[in-house]
Amino acid sequence: MLVKGTSIELFKEGFFDGVKRLEAEMVEKWQTEAGQTAIPVDVEGADLLYVALAGAHSIIPAAAIFNAAGENWTLSFFEAVNFGAFVGDPSKTKLILERIVNEAKRLKVKEVCVCECGTAYRVMKQLSGKQSFKVTSITEVHVRYLREGRIKLDRSELSGPITYHDPCQIARNAGVMNEPRYILQHITDDFCEMSREPKYNWCCGGGGGLVALGEETLDFRMKSASVKVDQVKATGAETLATACENCHTQLSNLNDHYKMGVAVKFLSSMVADALVP
Amino acid sequence: MQTLIYFILVPMVYIAFATFFIGTTIRLIKIFREPKHPTTLQIYPEKKPQWLWALHDTFLFPSVRRHKPMLWVFLMLFHICLLLLIIGHLELFGEFAIFQVIPHGVILGQGYVGLIIAISLLYFLFRRFLSPARELSVPEDYYLLILLFLIVIFGSEMDWARRWYEYDGMTVEEYREYLMSLLLQPYLPETVTESGHSFMLVLYIFFANLFIIFFPFSQSMHSFLSLPMNKLRRG
């Protein structure tokens, strides 16, 4: 009997096709070693399981960086975002979380790397319990690659002052605060902080997922986040980097509404663009 | 009238303390029995040692200091004076060498502690008539502050009369006698019930009893819960 959301086997074929199309897009920009699959899927025995969002922007740059670092990785069938957590339903949160945990166990990976999504990272990190794999955010993984010299970044790629917005779920609620700054120091000479200490950066106002749930909240979100706009404008930055999907959406909304005049970018895409082959 | 005075000074005190001990115990047990939160409630960046920072947050209110310095000053004054008053009242039960590290007469502060705490309470009360505190306040907030102010005013009056106006109609010794007698065999010395200040004492004890009864059902429970909450917050 066909039940919505449970017939995983049926969508695998379509998924593989989609991945192939993404691979074609990828190799245009980033060279892949001969014989290496640009985006490996369902690889048992991989070291790292990367859980992405349902969007090319979440998969392609990350894949480029994993390949450049020579990582033994595999892409997850599932998307990282936990809609159960967004709507506050504990049983659905658990259900969505367990799909990924079970896949990690089946593929016997050592590490589950969560994409740039605040709730996904926090739920995976703090609710998955004791497992044989460790949970990291993609920002932390990139810092590791930089430290170990597995990837090299070109400082001249980006121009203009850059500032960074800390997603609540990743920074204040989960502790990933120094890593993005370490990365940005390698990408640019012109990095400026929004406030004295990262913990004083305002929340974007996206409501931890409300952004993803519809346009009805747009008005309220714009009104309540005017303090964030002031903070961003005060830095004089041209690029606003962040590491969370919903923050990116909210900040883009704010950019349009308040005419902040910044380019809102994902940190991972900035790293991918700055990669030295 | 005599029975009313007796009721306030003896049975009501027993009722108050019983309600307080049973009430707070039950409430604390209920709270600590609740299931653990599935994730951590810690905020970052992490600061170690965590227990020390939890103490720092509990007793120095750094967030208040950053956002509302004036309120912070009065909060610190209020709580420090409260601590001094608690020490002073413990000394009504007997001599404790440890408190006499700095030698002083019973009830510290020469009357100024009561004055400062009374002014602080007025500040807390009046700020709740202005926005935004006004929109966020519930009746309990006002009742509690008014009750505390009445307790402080009647209690301090006895102290001020003794310290600043040389009133000796009712002394600390007689008060001690009454207080100690409550433990086994209640006895009301004549000066406690018949002196010029007796009405102050009776009203003071009446309002204090009300506060003690109200305590486990009010926000005053933050005195027990603030440290555990900050410990959760620090990890």
Side-chain angles (χ1 to χ4, degrees):
Chain A
M1 194 180 84
L2 224 60
V3 176
K4 191 171 168 185
T6 59
S7 317
I8 306 276
E9 288 299 317
L10 286 175
F11 81 77
K12 272 192 180 165
E13 276 301 313
F15 189 80
F16 284 127
D17 284 337
V19 168
K20 283 213 174 47
R21 268 177 270 135
L22 287 179
E23 282 181 331
E25 238 181 277
M26 237 185 90
V27 290
E28 272 175 41
K29 199 168 170 192
W30 295 285
Q31 293 288 7
T32 316
E33 297 287 313
Q36 181 189 35
T37 327
I39 304 180
V41 187
D42 208 16
V43 174
E44 193 167 322
D47 288 330
L48 182 146
L49 174 69
Y50 175 60
V51 195
L53 295 177
H57 66 276
S58 174
I59 301 176
I60 295 183
I65 302 168
F66 286 133
N67 291 340
E71 181 70 68
N72 176 9
W73 70 287
T74 178
L75 179 69
S76 169
F77 280 115
F78 306 106
E79 57 171 357
V81 67
N82 198 312
F83 279 102
F86 281 171
V87 299
D89 185 334
S91 52
K92 290 209 173 59
T93 307
K94 209 163 145 53
L95 193 135
I96 296 171
L97 178 65
E98 278 181 354
R99 279 192 206 143
I100 303 171
V101 171
N102 289 336
E103 186 186 19
K105 289 203 274 207
R106 178 174 66 85
L107 296 176
K108 301 188 187 52
V109 294
K110 301 202 187 88
E111 181 178 352
V112 172
C113 173
V114 182
C115 63
E116 284 171 327
C117 173
T119 309
Y121 175 60
R122 193 167 169 221
V123 168
M124 197 70 207
K125 183 101 189 171
Q126 294 178 351
L127 276 178
S128 53
K130 223 166 152 54
Q131 301 290 351
S132 56
F133 51 82
K134 66 174 179 178
V135 177
T136 48
S137 75
I138 191 168
T139 320
E140 291 169 296
V141 170
H142 290 166
V143 167
R144 197 168 75 218
Y145 291 160
L146 278 172
R147 284 220 171 97
E148 293 173 0
R150 287 165 79 171
I151 56 173
K152 293 242 181 328
L153 298 178
D154 181 5
R155 269 231 175 95
S156 60
E157 258 293 318
L158 288 153
S159 63
I162 304 182
T163 187
Y164 178 75
H165 161 77
D166 290 279
C168 290
Q169 302 280 50
I170 299 179
R172 262 186 301 271
N173 281 332
V176 177
M177 278 168 157
N178 296 325
E179 288 81 351
R181 284 155 178 89
Y182 182 83
I183 293 176
L184 283 162
Q185 297 297 347
H186 280 77
I187 295 185
T188 177
D189 292 316
D190 201 354
F191 172 68
C192 43
E193 286 280 7
M194 279 189 210
S195 52
R196 215 175 66 231
E197 278 178 61
K199 68 181 185 183
Y200 292 129
N201 286 349
W202 284 105
C203 166
C204 68
L210 276 182
V211 171
L213 295 177
E215 287 266 311
E216 302 150 358
T217 53
L218 182 64
D219 217 27
F220 178 74
R221 281 188 280 119
M222 294 299 105
K223 272 194 226 146
S224 61
S226 57
V227 280
K228 183 76 203 175
V229 176
D230 295 334
Q231 210 174 42
V232 173
K233 279 187 173 158
T235 60
E238 285 170 22
T239 308
L240 175 55
T242 188
C244 165
E245 180 72 31
N246 285 329
C247 288
H248 188 278
T249 311
Q250 166 75 353
L251 290 168
S252 302
N253 291 152
L254 284 172
N255 197 24
D256 295 330
H257 188 90
Y258 287 98
K259 315 266 183 297
M260 289 200 293
V262 292
V264 186
K265 288 193 180 165
F266 284 107
L267 193 57
S268 61
S269 70
M270 290 165 75
V271 174
D273 288 336
L275 270 178
V276 173
Chain B
M1 180 51 76
Q2 283 303 315
T3 23
L4 182 61
I5 291 176
Y6 177 79
F7 175 75
I8 292 171
L9 291 178
V10 184
M12 195 183 178
V13 177
Y14 292 138
I15 292 169
F17 278 91
T19 317
F20 175 79
F21 282 119
I22 297 173
T24 44
T25 312
I26 291 179
R27 192 142 180 220
L28 286 174
I29 290 178
K30 266 169 74 176
I31 289 172
F32 282 101
R33 261 190 166 172
E34 293 283 339
K36 227 162 92 83
H37 195 269
T39 68
T40 175
L41 288 165
Q42 183 177 1
I43 53 142
Y44 292 86
E46 200 174 42
K47 281 188 164 160
K48 304 252 185 138
Q50 288 160 342
W51 60 269
L52 189 61
W53 280 100
L55 282 169
H56 165 271
D57 294 341
T58 309
F59 293 111
L60 294 178
F61 337 128
S63 310
V64 183
R65 192 172 70 227
R66 188 177 136 81
H67 296 286
K68 294 193 168 123
M70 194 58 166
L71 177 63
W72 184 83
V73 169
F74 279 106
L75 276 173
M76 290 305 293
L77 281 174
F78 173 80
H79 286 88
I80 291 172
C81 289
L82 194 64
L83 180 66
L84 293 173
L85 284 174
I86 291 173
I87 294 174
H89 282 71
L90 284 173
E91 289 187 316
L92 284 175
F93 282 96
E95 304 280 335
F96 295 101
I98 189 166
F99 291 143
Q100 289 290 344
V101 168
I102 304 167
H104 58 268
V106 173
I107 310 284
L108 296 136
Q110 309 279 13
Y112 291 107
V113 171
L115 187 62
I116 293 172
I117 208 174
I119 294 172
S120 304
L121 282 166
L122 286 175
Y123 174 82
F124 295 143
L125 184 62
F126 288 129
R127 71 177 275 272
R128 286 189 182 270
F129 289 109
L130 304 167
S131 293
R134 183 173 174 165
E135 281 79 33
L136 298 168
S137 298
V138 293
E140 179 189 320
D141 299 320
Y142 299 101
Y143 292 156
L144 199 55
L145 285 167
I146 293 171
L147 182 59
L148 283 170
F149 183 73
L150 288 168
I151 297 172
V152 159
I153 259 319
F154 285 120
S156 299
E157 190 284 333
M158 294 190 282
D159 191 40
W160 293 330
R162 188 168 56 96
R163 298 261 198 197
W164 298 341
Y165 297 96
E166 283 132 33
Y167 177 77
D168 57 5
M170 186 171 68
T171 63
V172 173
E173 281 66 37
E174 277 140 355
Y175 190 74
R176 259 189 184 145
E177 211 187 324
Y178 148 67
L179 208 59
M180 290 306 284
S181 77
L182 280 175
L183 291 174
L184 286 165
Q185 207 164 13
Y187 166 67
L188 300 175
E190 235 183 22
T191 42
V192 167
T193 48
E194 302 287 328
S195 71
H197 263 192
S198 295
F199 81 99
M200 288 283 167
L201 179 71
V202 171
L203 279 170
Y204 166 71
I205 298 217
F206 173 70
F207 287 121
N209 285 342
L210 278 184
F211 174 67
I212 293 170
I213 292 172
F214 189 38
F215 192 104
F217 310 103
S218 73
Q219 76 103 332
S220 314
M221 284 298 282
H222 78 269
S223 50
F224 292 103
L225 298 170
S226 176
L227 186 53
M229 191 211 79
N230 277 301
K231 178 67 178 61
L232 278 175
R233 199 171 152 267
R234 283 292 183 185

